[in-house]
Structures are given as C-alpha cells and as structure tokens.
Amino acid sequence: MCDFGVEVWLNTKVTGYDGKNVFTANGKQLLSYNLIWTAGVKGKTLSGIPDSSINKNRLLCNEFNQVLGFDNIFAIGDVSLQLHDPSYPNGHPQVAPVAIQQARKLAKNILFKINNKPMQPFYYKDKGNMATVGRNKAVAEIGKLKLGGFSGWLIWMLLHLILLIGFRNKIVVLINWVWNYINYDRHIRLIIRPYRREF
C-alpha cells in the first residue's frame, strides 16, 4: 500500500466483471462500480501481407525497418517488430520514442536507398522513462539513475519545459505551473458535450 492508498496487485489476471465486482484468476475479488481497462496497444496489419511476415499482430521487419519478404515496404512504430537488437530480443517497446527514432532513421535510409548507398541498421536508444503521480511526486528512470518523489517531479517538470517548442511557450507554461502550484488551482480537464435541455 502506497501513500496514495493504492494497492498494486502484480501478476493478477482479470477474468470478469459483473458491474459491481472484479474477478481475478487467482481468486482475489475487488468490489468496484468502476473498472478502467488499459491493456496497451495492438498493431494493425494490412491484407496482402503473408502470415510469415506477421507475428503477434505486428509486421516482422529487418534492421532497416523493411517488412520481411518485401524490398519497398517499411514499417515503424507499434506495428513494427524488429528482433535483431540484442538489447531488445523480443522487440522494442510500443512507445512513442521508439517510433520517433525509427522515423528519423527510416527517412535517412530511404534517401540512402534512392541514392544507391548502403542503409544503416536501427538500434533504439532508451533515454529513460518518467511519470508524474501527484503534487510533488513523480518517478524518473534515466539509465541507471532512479528518482522518485520531489526530485523526480522537478526533473519531470524541467524536461517537459526543455522539450516545449518556442521560448514563449516555455514561459507561459512555467507561469501557469507556478500559479497552479501556489493556488492549488486545478482546472477540470473534461471533454464533454454541453447538455441542452429539450423543451
């Protein structure tokens, strides 16, 4: 149990939900009227690609992001499965930084291919993971460095400010953060249709 009153159940498969109870494979049961399911992402394959080039709904690719069996079909991101990287023998994680790095490498490789130059293999460079989990609380993992709590939160904020495009955007976001921090001001972030009463 953590400070937020959250209890984490690892290796627990959900087998059912009846609107009031969550049932698990190991017999644990949780009374809840709300169930939020976040099961990750799933690649979407195309018709015409043979089954030999598909694994777990992802297109098998070589080190140049070419779909196996094809010379001019490339795949990146969630739909791409590359097994050549010794650091990721089961494929890369299905996260945005992988797709961004693959896109940059593929753009260069397509130019190399057009100009009859040898293509360069893709290897993912993990720059770390971060997540904010509350006021003054975040987790950050950058290489072997692991931070949590206030220090993780400061690094999370600093990195997000650095990655914003434009000096003006950085200043506006920083001012908003400082204002919200001092005043405990949290805007409701709901996107809903306005309710119109029928007469």
Side-chain angles (χ1 to χ4, degrees):
M1 184 80 72
C2 76
D3 294 342
F4 293 123
V6 175
E7 185 178 342
V8 178
W9 294 353
L10 299 175
N11 303 315
T12 306
K13 181 181 178 182
V14 173
T15 57
Y17 179 65
D18 65 3
K20 193 167 30 171
N21 295 291
V22 179
F23 302 98
T24 65
N26 62 8
K28 283 187 176 181
Q29 194 171 323
L30 176 69
L31 173 65
S32 177
Y33 289 101
N34 300 302
L35 176 65
I36 301 169
W37 188 261
T38 57
V41 294
K42 181 179 177 183
K44 177 70 174 154
T45 57
L46 303 170
S47 59
I49 304 289
D51 290 342
S52 59
S53 298
I54 298 172
N55 185 352
K56 299 176 186 170
N57 262 28
R58 297 171 77 183
L59 300 175
L60 286 166
C61 295
N62 65 13
E63 65 270 30
F64 310 114
N65 287 96
Q66 290 172 301
V67 176
L68 295 186
F70 298 91
D71 188 46
N72 291 319
I73 298 178
F74 298 86
I76 61 172
D78 295 343
V79 77
S80 169
L81 178 60
Q82 293 177 299
L83 304 174
H84 72 282
D85 192 339
S87 298
Y88 299 93
N90 297 318
H92 300 107
Q94 292 173 282
V95 293
V98 173
I100 292 167
Q101 289 181 32
Q102 284 177 330
R104 288 180 179 146
K105 178 65 79 172
L106 181 56
K108 291 177 183 175
N109 278 336
I110 288 174
L111 289 175
F112 288 148
K113 187 171 172 57
I114 290 169
N115 294 309
N116 295 316
K117 294 181 179 178
M119 293 190 290
Q120 300 172 349
F122 171 77
Y123 291 97
Y124 174 54
K125 294 177 185 70
D126 186 1
K127 296 178 181 176
N129 296 296
M130 295 182 169
T132 180
V133 291
R135 183 181 175 85
N136 297 338
K137 290 181 176 68
V139 290
E141 183 179 45
I142 306 162
K144 293 182 179 179
L145 178 67
K146 294 182 180 180
L147 298 169
F150 186 72
S151 58
W153 184 70
L154 283 178
I155 292 202
W156 179 89
M157 286 199 331
L158 179 66
L159 182 66
H160 278 73
L161 280 176
I162 290 169
L163 293 176
L164 285 174
I165 298 171
F167 181 74
R168 184 178 182 277
N169 289 338
K170 293 175 184 181
I171 294 299
V172 168
V173 169
L174 180 61
I175 290 170
N176 283 334
W177 281 354
V178 170
W179 176 262
N180 292 339
Y181 187 82
I182 293 169
N183 294 296
Y184 286 82
D185 187 16
R186 302 289 293 170
H187 296 290
I188 296 175
R189 294 182 175 102
L190 298 177
I191 300 173
I192 58 173
R193 288 187 194 155
Y195 173 73
R196 289 192 177 88
R197 181 181 232 165
E198 298 294 331
F199 293 101

PDB file of all heavy atoms in Angstrom, residues 9 38 73 128 145 184:
ATOM      1  N   TRP A   9      -1.587  -4.925  -7.371  1.00  0.00           N
ATOM      2  CA  TRP A   9      -1.595  -6.379  -7.496  1.00  0.00           C
ATOM      3  C   TRP A   9      -0.823  -6.746  -8.754  1.00  0.00           C
ATOM      4  O   TRP A   9      -1.267  -6.443  -9.862  1.00  0.00           O
ATOM      5  CB  TRP A   9      -3.015  -6.919  -7.606  1.00  0.00           C
ATOM      6  CG  TRP A   9      -3.866  -6.740  -6.381  1.00  0.00           C
ATOM      7  CD1 TRP A   9      -3.476  -6.268  -5.160  1.00  0.00           C
ATOM      8  CD2 TRP A   9      -5.259  -7.037  -6.265  1.00  0.00           C
ATOM      9  NE1 TRP A   9      -4.537  -6.242  -4.306  1.00  0.00           N
ATOM     10  CE2 TRP A   9      -5.648  -6.711  -4.949  1.00  0.00           C
ATOM     11  CE3 TRP A   9      -6.214  -7.531  -7.135  1.00  0.00           C
ATOM     12  CZ2 TRP A   9      -6.941  -6.882  -4.488  1.00  0.00           C
ATOM     13  CZ3 TRP A   9      -7.499  -7.697  -6.684  1.00  0.00           C
ATOM     14  CH2 TRP A   9      -7.870  -7.385  -5.361  1.00  0.00           C
ATOM     15  N   THR A  38      -6.870  -0.679 -19.223  1.00  0.00           N
ATOM     16  CA  THR A  38      -5.790  -0.130 -20.054  1.00  0.00           C
ATOM     17  C   THR A  38      -4.872  -1.286 -20.423  1.00  0.00           C
ATOM     18  O   THR A  38      -3.916  -1.586 -19.724  1.00  0.00           O
ATOM     19  CB  THR A  38      -5.007   0.959 -19.308  1.00  0.00           C
ATOM     20  OG1 THR A  38      -4.497   0.409 -18.097  1.00  0.00           O
ATOM     21  CG2 THR A  38      -5.883   2.147 -18.986  1.00  0.00           C
ATOM     22  N   ILE A  73       8.559  -2.083 -48.812  1.00  0.00           N
ATOM     23  CA  ILE A  73       7.531  -1.855 -47.785  1.00  0.00           C
ATOM     24  C   ILE A  73       8.259  -1.752 -46.443  1.00  0.00           C
ATOM     25  O   ILE A  73       9.016  -2.648 -46.057  1.00  0.00           O
ATOM     26  CB  ILE A  73       6.485  -2.988 -47.743  1.00  0.00           C
ATOM     27  CG1 ILE A  73       5.744  -3.072 -49.076  1.00  0.00           C
ATOM     28  CG2 ILE A  73       5.505  -2.749 -46.589  1.00  0.00           C
ATOM     29  CD1 ILE A  73       4.726  -4.190 -49.134  1.00  0.00           C
ATOM     30  N   GLY A 128      15.138   6.971 -21.219  1.00  0.00           N
ATOM     31  CA  GLY A 128      14.556   6.915 -19.892  1.00  0.00           C
ATOM     32  C   GLY A 128      13.040   7.032 -19.905  1.00  0.00           C
ATOM     33  O   GLY A 128      12.426   7.251 -20.943  1.00  0.00           O
ATOM     34  N   LEU A 145      20.064   5.759 -13.215  1.00  0.00           N
ATOM     35  CA  LEU A 145      19.555   6.705 -12.224  1.00  0.00           C
ATOM     36  C   LEU A 145      18.054   6.531 -12.047  1.00  0.00           C
ATOM     37  O   LEU A 145      17.295   6.596 -13.016  1.00  0.00           O
ATOM     38  CB  LEU A 145      19.874   8.138 -12.673  1.00  0.00           C
ATOM     39  CG  LEU A 145      19.373   9.270 -11.780  1.00  0.00           C
ATOM     40  CD1 LEU A 145      20.089   9.253 -10.436  1.00  0.00           C
ATOM     41  CD2 LEU A 145      19.562  10.610 -12.464  1.00  0.00           C
ATOM     42  N   TYR A 184      -3.061  26.013  -5.690  1.00  0.00           N
ATOM     43  CA  TYR A 184      -3.722  24.700  -5.736  1.00  0.00           C
ATOM     44  C   TYR A 184      -4.842  24.702  -6.761  1.00  0.00           C
ATOM     45  O   TYR A 184      -5.897  24.101  -6.567  1.00  0.00           O
ATOM     46  CB  TYR A 184      -4.284  24.309  -4.366  1.00  0.00           C
ATOM     47  CG  TYR A 184      -3.234  23.907  -3.380  1.00  0.00           C
ATOM     48  CD1 TYR A 184      -2.522  24.858  -2.655  1.00  0.00           C
ATOM     49  CD2 TYR A 184      -2.934  22.567  -3.167  1.00  0.00           C
ATOM     50  CE1 TYR A 184      -1.551  24.495  -1.751  1.00  0.00           C
ATOM     51  CE2 TYR A 184      -1.960  22.195  -2.256  1.00  0.00           C
ATOM     52  CZ  TYR A 184      -1.272  23.165  -1.553  1.00  0.00           C
ATOM     53  OH  TYR A 184      -0.308  22.792  -0.652  1.00  0.00           O
TER      54      TYR A 184
END
